[in-house]
Amino acid sequence: MKDTSKKNTEPIKKVKVEVVKIKTETIPLEQQILNFLTQNSSLLLYSTLILIYIIAFSTRLFSVLRFESVIHEFDPYFNFRSTKYLVNEGIYNFINWFDEYSWYPLGRIIGGTVYPGLMVTSAIIYWVLNFFHLNMKIRNICVFLAPLFASNTAIVTYLFGKEVFDKRVGLLAAAFIAIVPGYISRSVAGSYDNEGIAIFALINTYYLWVKAVNTGSMFWSALCALGYFYMVAAWGGYVFIINLIPLHVIVLLISGRYSNRLYIAYCTTYILGTLLSMQISFVGFQPVQSSEHMAALGVFCFLQAYCLTNWIRSMLTPVQFYTLFRIGFIFISSFVTIALAAGIATGYISPFTGRFYSLLDPTYAKQHIPIIASVSEHQPTAWASYFFDLHVLAFMFPAGFYFCFKNISDGSIFLILYGITSIYFSGVMVRLMLILAPIACVLAAVGFSFTLRAYMRYLKSENSNNKELPQFENRNQIALFIVVAITIIFIFFTIHCTWVTSEAYSSPSIVLAARGQGGSKIIFDDFREGYNWLKHNTHQNAKVMSWWDYGYQIEAMANRTVLVDNNTWNNSHIALVGKAFASTEENAYEIMKSLDVDYVLVIFGGLIGYASDDINKFLWMVRIAGSTDPNVKEADYFTPNGEFRVDSEGSSTLLNSLMYKCCYYGFGTITTEANRPPGYDRVRNVEIGNKNFELNYLEEAFTSEHWLVRIYRVLPPDNRS
Amino acid sequence: VVSTQSTGKMLSSQIVFILFFSLIFCCESQIIKNAERNIHITSHIVRQSIQIELDVVIEQFIFLLTENFEDKTSFIKFYNENTTELSFKKEKNYFYVQLNSNILLVQIVLNHVVFPFPKEIDQRSPHFAKYFDSHYLFSKYKILSQETKVKLPTTRVESYSRLAPSILNGDLIKYGPYHDIEPFKSSDLSIHFQTTIPFNELLSFRREIEISLWSGNLAFEDHFELLNSGAKIIGEFSRFDHQTSGSTASIQNFVVLLPKNTKDIYYRDDIGNISTSRISFNEESEFLNLELAPRYPLLGGWKAKFLTGFNLALNNFLFVFGNEYILNTTLLPIIPETSINNIQFSVLLPETAKVTSFVYAGKNIDYNLSNKFSYLDLSPRQYITINLNKTISDIPQFIQVKFIFSFSNLLREPTILVVSFFSIFIFATFIRKINISINNN
């Protein structure tokens, strides 16, 4: 035996050596590299993930490279200011922070009315870096936080895809989400807002949820609860999670996929997650009181009842069980109905909020709450923006559904549910495109991945004569064509994403840029000019009246007290400011005196053609003022034909309103364009109607270089001219 | 006997000598033959140059400033006829100058002695100011003959005190010659004139320097708090008028001169970059002209805060003698026509360096020491700060910081990096090896 075996093995060894020799001589370098990579697939995987990580971060840096490391837009300025407060004053002072600079004379309890996740995240990064003496300024941490978390999102998306399907789906999904414009729109450098970290928290929670359901492990369920806690701390959108997960449970139950894994995952996640979420002071007792959270509680109770029923059924005969079930069902359902009715009637269970209603009925806000309707990001989504924000993903999305149904599992049902609900929500509000983008990436990745793997197998050399594969004519050519086509689509997708990021989503909006004659860059830095003037040349306790859009910026950059800001928690206070702007100078003076206003700030774009100025927002001020004071009528500001005009045919109420006067004071003498009369407004493209008026109760205190920011001093009563 | 005689002689000659000199020093006998004052008012900064001619050569000359000028002097220097700088001791408004000659030249720069008048104007009104002084040079000595010339920024003079003989010629007022003025005599001089140059006043200036031996770099950051201390603007500010005809004495540009090999200049404030600045190279003075326009024009009474930063190669500023290092740099950049109220200057030394002395204007001065951590520091760095009240900003003023540093400490940072990365890998390897799951498989 021993001898024969030796004889047998020796010649084989020789052959092997020969084969290796031949290979090293003939195989080209590329093939060698490919072989190396396929043999070390984890190296390929990790290097791809690292590349995705870097790409996700760096594609969001356009605005920093073009402008500077600066916080963008409106809400981020509040977050930035709060983060600075947190870093300087510590966590307890932050939670107890009463801000007297906003909502004069009411003030605002900031600690109890924010989702602190964003600020705490930056503060922790700041503290950790400073502990190691890597002195990074808090502004830079805030600016680069969103790109950093976008990179993290790509990694959890990979894990999510891997958990539901496999690594290939995960990698594609991660690559998509790294560059998809729908997500970039809210996570470029400087866009320091809750959404920047919330999408990470959202996908992370979903990944952990699917992992918990798949494993049935309490460990993963507890981690899912922690992920949920982070999401609650970060963004109000956590309500989406706390409704989608129960929905998933119910659908699994109905489709007969109930398992003990599901029971463990849901009960652990729900109990821990709810307890944790109640630790956020802004959320408080809402998880057990408000209607938005009732579905989760209901499913939790239902699961217990379902288990109890199963257990009882196993002990009783079918007839006994049927009788018991009938009695129990009637009893329990009437009890639940009565409890709900009592809760709602006594006000213990709060009704849905306006924003939630407008989710269910897109026309609700427009009719009832103008302050929600006035925000551009609350408008319904246009069809084109699906293509703009998702590009090819929007088309591959249904294919993803198809493959999910084909490879049905607990995880793929979750993907389907997430996809369907987010499509609906994104149609209601533009900003919720953000929720759709991640699932669009995952589902499109499913679609692409399964399509590719269906055709790639024909191209593999070892499969060329495999009879198990479906056979059809020219299969290799067709497969090649499809793979090449998809590659080209990917290339175009990348180009589109980069272009959209660069052109549409990378403007800081606090600094405007335009191309001058000869292609030189002209910077309009008027906002900061005006705010800086306020900061250094007005009294520390001066109160500034402006429309609420600029509240956060004035607080953060000018460090002055404002009447209303972007928090919009008090509708009637905003309506009062709207009324002041809509009134005549004399009536507005009374309102301003009663509110101790020292300065009035308006944004005027008529000189340089900046369209989102206060005159264009003016109708919303009138509408919001009219929602609390019936004396302010929108119709008064229109011409008899129902037009909103600032030229000589415009309504006289409009032409004598405080807003009109603040914007156009001194404008009547200026020639803005050649061959046009003086006082030609370059946004409305008309010559203004009321030109040479004087101000009696205000005086011009400051106007920025391009007239974008105009600040007026409210004169003391004895100084009336 | 002989010895007593000789000592007696010596004694008497000494007494005579002492008597003679005490007569001289008792001042009564000394007189100033001729004094000429040139007062140059360009903006709100007043430069006086005084030439004093004595009848005899004396060792110590006592120069006086009027009391209200004493705390407004940002610069005073004494020279003899060869323009050699003379040392002096200061006691309140008395300056004891070691002269040893009969001619004394004095250079004085005064701040806060030109007052806007009227104090408040509107945007379009011309800007007037008043200057107060004495017709006579304030002196401890009798002055036989003296003359004062005042150069004004414009030819428009509203009024001026007329102590004959005085004559106004264009932008120049000539007072004197006055004869036989008794010591300590004064007579109020006041001039009311128009100014066009804005009153740049730095309420505070703070310079922070960080030495980096690794990159051979000296990083500067200068913080400015600028005020237009001219007449306050009242009433409305019209941007249209400002753009078409300009505003009275408003600060549009603020010029800072930097060394010619300055690089990486930035200009920002606490809310971001300021895009309105220009750099040009001045061939004549070999300086970079950094023209900083504040975000908004500064009209009378308006303020702005901003900072600039730049880097310079360290080897032009740092001199090494074994373990001893001397950093030789300037207290502040050259800022023409600007008065400065408060200066803070600080240096962050390399890690483990110990400061030994701080020299400003040729003298060791006191400094505050505190600690700061910078990138990758294990031990705190010494942070040296000095505070100064007044100085002038149009000539370079040098400071020297001497410190001890051991060259081997340069290896600290790379060692930290190597060790920390290595320990991360060790840790990761360790983590991968241990099994943290509860069940046995």
Side-chain angles (χ1 to χ4, degrees):
Chain A
M1 283 290 282
K2 275 180 184 174
D3 284 349
T4 49
S5 70
K6 264 188 179 175
K7 273 177 188 170
N8 282 341
T9 48
E10 273 176 3
I12 289 172
K13 262 186 182 174
K14 271 181 185 172
V15 170
K16 262 191 180 172
V17 169
E18 274 172 9
V19 167
V20 170
K21 267 185 184 172
I22 290 163
K23 269 189 179 172
T24 45
E25 278 164 8
T26 54
I27 294 175
L29 186 66
E30 305 91 73
Q31 193 60 43
Q32 280 182 36
I33 293 171
L34 269 178
N35 285 345
F36 175 76
L37 288 177
T38 42
Q39 279 152 22
N40 299 277
S41 63
S42 65
L43 178 72
L44 187 64
L45 175 72
Y46 287 124
S47 45
T48 315
L49 278 178
I50 287 171
L51 279 179
I52 288 173
Y53 202 86
I54 294 169
I55 284 287
F57 189 85
S58 51
T59 190
R60 286 164 167 82
L61 302 184
F62 276 108
S63 68
V64 171
L65 297 177
R66 284 197 196 137
F67 293 92
E68 58 184 286
S69 161
V70 70
I71 305 287
H72 293 188
E73 298 195 327
F74 304 104
D75 286 16
Y77 269 97
F78 167 76
N79 300 327
F80 178 47
R81 174 167 167 250
S82 333
T83 310
K84 276 202 288 191
Y85 190 90
L86 171 60
V87 165
N88 294 333
E89 305 279 330
I91 184 82
Y92 289 106
N93 283 339
F94 175 72
I95 290 168
N96 291 325
W97 184 15
F98 179 81
D99 179 23
E100 67 273 18
Y101 275 89
S102 56
W103 294 94
Y104 182 83
L106 309 168
R108 176 185 169 197
I109 308 158
I110 291 196
T113 55
V114 287
Y115 292 102
L118 182 73
M119 297 100 189
V120 173
T121 306
S122 326
I124 286 173
I125 293 176
Y126 177 78
W127 285 325
V128 167
L129 286 180
N130 274 273
F131 178 77
F132 290 108
H133 302 307
L134 295 165
N135 306 354
M136 200 165 165
K137 281 182 182 143
I138 187 69
R139 175 176 51 85
N140 284 330
I141 290 174
C142 293
V143 166
F144 293 106
L145 190 77
L148 179 73
F149 268 80
S151 297
N152 295 343
T153 308
I155 301 303
V156 285
T157 309
Y158 161 73
L159 294 172
F160 186 41
K162 183 184 147 198
E163 188 57 37
V164 178
F165 287 102
D166 50 25
K167 282 180 186 171
R168 287 174 282 185
V169 171
L171 264 185
L172 259 184
F176 286 150
I177 202 159
I179 56 169
V180 69
Y183 179 34
I184 285 181
S185 66
R186 297 258 162 187
S187 61
V188 291
S191 171
Y192 180 56
D193 212 346
N194 291 339
E195 290 92 327
I197 62 168
I199 294 305
F200 164 75
L202 182 85
I203 303 300
N204 185 38
T205 314
Y206 286 156
Y207 155 63
L208 291 169
W209 165 248
V210 173
K211 184 100 183 168
V213 172
N214 283 350
T215 55
S217 131
M218 279 179 91
F219 173 72
W220 288 108
S221 312
L223 278 188
C224 177
L226 279 179
Y228 173 66
F229 172 61
Y230 187 59
M231 176 71 187
V232 176
W235 195 34
Y238 77 89
V239 176
F240 180 50
I241 297 183
I242 201 62
N243 285 300
L244 185 64
I245 286 179
L247 182 68
H248 183 218
V249 173
I250 286 291
V251 170
L252 287 184
L253 220 62
I254 291 170
S255 57
R257 302 183 69 94
Y258 173 80
S259 63
N260 288 337
R261 290 180 283 111
L262 182 69
Y263 180 80
I264 292 167
Y266 186 70
C267 293
T268 316
T269 308
Y270 177 72
I271 294 171
L272 282 181
T274 305
L275 285 177
L276 284 170
S277 67
M278 285 161 78
Q279 310 308 310
I280 305 295
S281 51
F282 191 26
V283 176
F285 280 92
Q286 279 183 48
V288 289
Q289 286 187 340
S290 84
S291 319
E292 290 102 322
H293 300 77
M294 282 302 123
L297 181 62
V299 169
F300 176 68
C301 296
F302 183 74
L303 261 189
Q304 313 308 319
Y306 183 80
C307 284
L308 186 72
T309 326
N310 277 351
W311 182 64
I312 292 172
R313 191 186 351 215
S314 67
M315 313 259 278
L316 300 176
T317 61
V319 182
Q320 284 171 322
F321 174 73
Y322 182 67
T323 328
L324 186 71
F325 182 77
R326 229 174 28 177
I327 297 168
F329 183 79
I330 292 168
F331 182 72
I332 288 171
S333 56
S334 52
F335 175 77
V336 166
T337 319
I338 290 167
L340 266 180
I344 290 168
T346 55
Y348 183 79
I349 296 173
S350 61
F352 292 120
T353 57
R355 247 172 241 187
F356 198 76
Y357 268 126
S358 57
L359 268 186
L360 301 178
D361 173 10
T363 56
Y364 177 84
K366 201 154 195 181
Q367 288 157 7
H368 297 96
I369 322 167
I371 199 146
I372 291 178
S374 73
V375 180
S376 62
E377 63 186 21
H378 292 162
Q379 306 301 321
T381 314
W383 281 113
S385 65
Y386 282 97
F387 183 75
F388 192 69
D389 279 351
L390 300 175
H391 195 252
V392 67
L393 305 186
F395 305 112
M396 213 53 192
F397 193 60
F401 278 124
Y402 168 75
F403 287 109
C404 278
F405 275 113
K406 223 179 149 198
N407 304 286
I408 200 93
S409 69
D410 292 356
S412 66
I413 289 178
F414 186 77
L415 287 192
I416 293 164
L417 289 175
Y418 180 10
I420 291 170
T421 45
S422 61
I423 283 184
Y424 172 73
F425 289 137
S426 69
V428 176
M429 272 192 204
V430 175
R431 71 191 295 208
L432 294 183
M433 185 64 94
L434 186 67
I435 284 185
L436 174 68
I439 189 61
C441 292
V442 177
L443 281 174
V446 173
F448 276 121
S449 175
F450 280 95
T451 314
L452 273 177
R453 69 181 78 165
Y455 288 101
M456 272 304 271
R457 27 184 201 178
Y458 292 107
L459 299 180
K460 286 185 180 165
S461 51
E462 67 262 28
N463 283 345
S464 53
N465 296 316
N466 191 340
K467 297 287 173 215
E468 287 169 22
L469 295 175
Q471 299 293 315
F472 47 91
E473 262 182 57
N474 296 332
R475 54 183 183 275
N476 284 1
Q477 286 79 353
I478 289 172
L480 185 68
F481 172 75
I482 285 178
V483 170
V484 167
I486 287 179
T487 313
I488 290 171
I489 287 172
F490 283 169
I491 291 169
F492 275 103
F493 175 68
T494 314
I495 293 170
H496 173 83
C497 289
T498 314
W499 175 77
V500 169
T501 311
S502 151
E503 294 299 312
Y505 293 138
S506 290
S507 160
S509 92
I510 190 77
V511 192
L512 311 170
R515 291 266 161 233
Q517 287 167 343
S520 62
K521 191 165 157 187
I522 304 173
I523 296 240
F524 299 105
D525 206 353
D526 286 44
F527 288 104
R528 291 193 293 188
E529 183 186 347
Y531 298 144
N532 211 243
W533 182 86
L534 266 181
K535 180 175 190 171
H536 293 296
N537 299 297
T538 60
H539 187 257
Q540 173 70 39
N541 293 323
K543 281 94 194 167
V544 183
M545 181 172 92
S546 74
W547 190 233
W548 61 264
D549 295 24
Y550 316 108
Y552 278 163
Q553 292 183 342
I554 295 173
E555 285 162 22
M557 280 191 268
N559 200 19
R560 289 293 173 269
T561 310
V562 296
L563 303 185
V564 290
D565 66 28
N566 312 45
N567 187 234
T568 65
W569 67 274
N570 189 323
N571 192 28
S572 61
H573 209 53
I574 292 181
L576 197 58
V577 170
K579 188 183 168 188
F581 279 125
S583 312
T584 60
E585 201 189 342
E586 192 174 3
N587 293 338
Y589 187 70
E590 294 302 316
I591 299 174
M592 291 190 293
K593 274 287 125 190
S594 70
L595 290 171
D596 294 344
V597 174
D598 299 301
Y599 293 91
V600 178
L601 183 146
V602 294
I603 303 295
F604 171 63
L607 187 77
I608 55 161
Y610 174 70
S612 47
D613 67 349
D614 275 346
I615 290 286
N616 279 2
K617 290 174 183 172
F618 185 59
L619 273 184
W620 286 110
M621 300 182 205
V622 174
R623 272 174 212 152
I624 291 168
S627 70
T628 59
D629 185 348
N631 293 327
V632 183
K633 293 189 193 69
E634 195 180 338
D636 294 345
Y637 297 85
F638 288 121
T639 59
N641 299 333
E643 288 171 295
F644 181 72
R645 303 176 69 148
V646 293
D647 59 4
S648 53
E649 286 169 37
S651 99
S652 72
T653 322
L654 171 66
L655 297 191
N656 289 300
S657 66
L658 179 71
M659 178 54 77
Y660 180 94
K661 287 194 169 176
C662 284
C663 283
Y664 290 116
Y665 176 68
F667 188 67
T669 50
I670 294 184
T671 308
T672 54
E673 270 179 35
N675 309 324
R676 297 284 188 187
Y680 182 78
D681 185 323
R682 293 174 70 185
V683 174
R684 267 66 57 176
N685 290 323
V686 286
E687 182 190 356
I688 59 167
N690 186 1
K691 271 185 182 174
N692 299 315
F693 55 85
E694 287 296 317
L695 294 169
N696 299 320
Y697 300 92
L698 301 170
E699 73 178 7
E700 189 178 359
F702 184 74
T703 296
S704 65
E705 192 182 351
H706 306 99
W707 291 51
L708 260 180
V709 179
R710 307 200 71 182
I711 301 170
Y712 293 84
R713 195 180 292 114
V714 180
L715 293 173
D718 54 342
N719 234 9
R720 286 184 202 177
S721 43
Chain B
V1 178
V2 176
S3 64
T4 42
Q5 265 185 350
S6 62
T7 41
K9 255 187 185 173
M10 275 176 72
L11 203 72
S12 61
S13 67
Q14 273 177 349
I15 288 169
V16 169
F17 192 77
I18 289 166
L19 275 176
F20 176 75
F21 271 95
S22 63
L23 268 174
I24 293 176
F25 280 114
C26 272
C27 327
E28 302 305 326
S29 67
Q30 276 146 32
I31 40 175
I32 294 174
K33 253 166 62 185
N34 188 23
E36 268 181 39
R37 261 197 309 173
N38 281 305
I39 302 176
H40 198 112
I41 309 173
T42 44
S43 58
H44 59 315
I45 296 172
V46 175
R47 290 180 183 79
Q48 295 197 354
S49 60
I50 305 165
Q51 186 173 4
I52 295 168
E53 195 182 329
L54 294 152
D55 55 345
V56 284
V57 173
I58 58 167
E59 270 189 19
Q60 189 181 50
F61 182 86
I62 302 174
F63 181 81
L64 298 185
L65 274 177
T66 52
E67 268 169 32
N68 55 344
F69 275 5
E70 192 231 324
D71 58 338
K72 289 169 181 157
T73 311
S74 58
F75 176 87
I76 184 162
K77 285 237 165 108
F78 301 92
Y79 305 92
N80 62 15
E81 69 269 32
N82 305 324
T83 64
T84 341
E85 202 182 320
L86 303 172
S87 64
F88 64 93
K89 253 192 275 173
K90 179 177 184 283
E91 237 168 68
K92 284 190 158 180
N93 53 338
Y94 280 62
F95 294 82
Y96 300 92
V97 186
Q98 301 305 317
L99 179 61
N100 275 329
S101 151
N102 67 335
I103 288 182
L104 176 70
L105 303 168
V106 190
Q107 298 278 355
I108 307 173
V109 179
L110 298 161
N111 287 328
H112 303 292
V113 292
V114 177
F115 306 98
F117 193 87
K119 284 181 179 162
E120 289 177 334
I121 52 169
D122 67 35
Q123 189 187 350
R124 299 160 198 84
S125 312
H127 190 213
F128 288 99
K130 271 191 172 178
Y131 173 71
F132 300 100
D133 203 335
S134 166
H135 290 107
Y136 309 133
L137 177 67
F138 193 53
S139 164
K140 196 172 179 298
Y141 312 95
K142 186 178 177 183
I143 305 173
L144 293 183
S145 161
Q146 64 169 304
E147 207 177 81
T148 299
K149 286 179 194 154
V150 185
K151 173 96 165 55
L152 299 171
T154 60
T155 54
R156 187 165 168 195
V157 179
E158 289 287 287
S159 69
Y160 64 101
S161 57
R162 293 157 199 254
L163 180 71
S166 61
I167 182 168
L168 168 66
N169 185 5
D171 59 355
L172 194 76
I173 304 175
K174 190 177 156 199
Y175 288 102
Y178 303 120
H179 297 291
D180 297 326
I181 308 300
E182 293 300 316
F184 301 110
K185 197 177 175 189
S186 83
S187 149
D188 289 345
L189 174 154
S190 80
I191 309 170
H192 190 197
F193 54 93
Q194 188 185 2
T195 67
T196 48
I197 297 172
F199 289 19
N200 296 357
E201 182 173 331
L202 280 178
L203 295 173
S204 68
F205 171 83
R206 193 171 94 235
R207 168 167 272 191
E208 287 173 5
I209 294 181
E210 187 172 342
I211 306 169
S212 167
L213 292 174
W214 259 104
S215 51
N217 188 47
L218 198 57
F220 289 75
E221 194 162 273
D222 296 344
H223 299 251
F224 299 86
E225 192 179 351
L226 181 65
L227 167 76
N228 183 341
S229 61
K232 283 200 172 73
I233 176 169
I234 49 164
E236 66 170 29
F237 164 68
S238 163
R239 175 63 75 164
F240 178 67
D241 290 348
H242 180 78
Q243 278 165 339
T244 48
S245 48
S247 309
T248 307
S250 66
I251 304 178
Q252 309 271 5
N253 266 325
F254 181 75
V255 179
V256 174
L257 303 186
L258 299 175
K260 65 175 176 186
N261 41 8
T262 307
K263 53 185 194 291
D264 314 328
I265 304 174
Y266 58 87
Y267 171 40
R268 50 183 300 136
D269 60 13
D270 51 358
I271 56 172
N273 284 356
I274 308 172
S275 52
T276 43
S277 60
R278 274 195 308 184
I279 302 172
S280 54
F281 182 62
N282 190 333
E283 299 279 346
E284 227 170 272
S285 62
E286 301 245 308
F287 276 109
L288 282 183
N289 264 18
L290 178 59
E291 264 179 56
L292 307 170
R295 286 191 187 273
Y296 42 86
L298 295 187
L299 274 76
W302 288 8
K303 274 189 271 183
K305 255 182 164 176
F306 50 86
L307 62 94
T308 63
F310 50 87
N311 290 327
L312 281 166
L314 189 60
N315 52 13
N316 298 333
F317 298 90
L318 192 71
F319 303 93
V320 188
F321 305 96
N323 268 356
E324 227 189 328
Y325 289 66
I326 299 175
L327 175 73
N328 193 351
T329 177
T330 51
L331 180 69
L332 70 173
I334 296 176
I335 314 166
E337 291 303 321
T338 303
S339 66
I340 302 180
N341 297 356
N342 202 327
I343 297 175
Q344 197 183 67
F345 178 90
S346 43
V347 181
L348 186 63
L349 293 183
E351 198 183 356
T352 69
K354 295 265 179 297
V355 64
T356 52
S357 67
F358 201 113
V359 182
Y360 167 61
K363 278 174 286 193
N364 275 339
I365 57 165
D366 290 339
Y367 49 83
N368 295 324
L369 257 188
S370 55
N371 289 328
K372 249 192 175 180
F373 282 98
S374 186
Y375 291 98
L376 298 172
D377 285 356
L378 284 185
S379 53
R381 299 181 178 205
Q382 285 197 333
Y383 187 66
I384 313 151
T385 310
I386 61 160
N387 284 297
L388 294 171
N389 274 337
K390 272 184 291 295
T391 186
I392 51 157
S393 56
D394 43 11
I395 56 169
Q397 300 191 54
F398 293 99
I399 55 121
Q400 274 109 32
V401 186
K402 295 179 184 162
F403 59 90
I404 302 170
F405 179 75
S406 153
F407 189 75
S408 57
N409 281 329
L410 267 186
L411 296 174
R412 274 172 86 112
E413 260 137 12
T415 317
I416 291 167
L417 284 177
V418 168
V419 168
S420 50
F421 274 106
F422 188 65
S423 49
I424 287 174
F425 286 119
I426 294 284
F427 181 72
T429 320
F430 182 70
I431 284 290
R432 278 183 75 99
K433 294 285 175 202
I434 57 167
N435 182 5
I436 51 164
S437 68
I438 300 169
N439 55 6
N440 288 327
N441 7 323

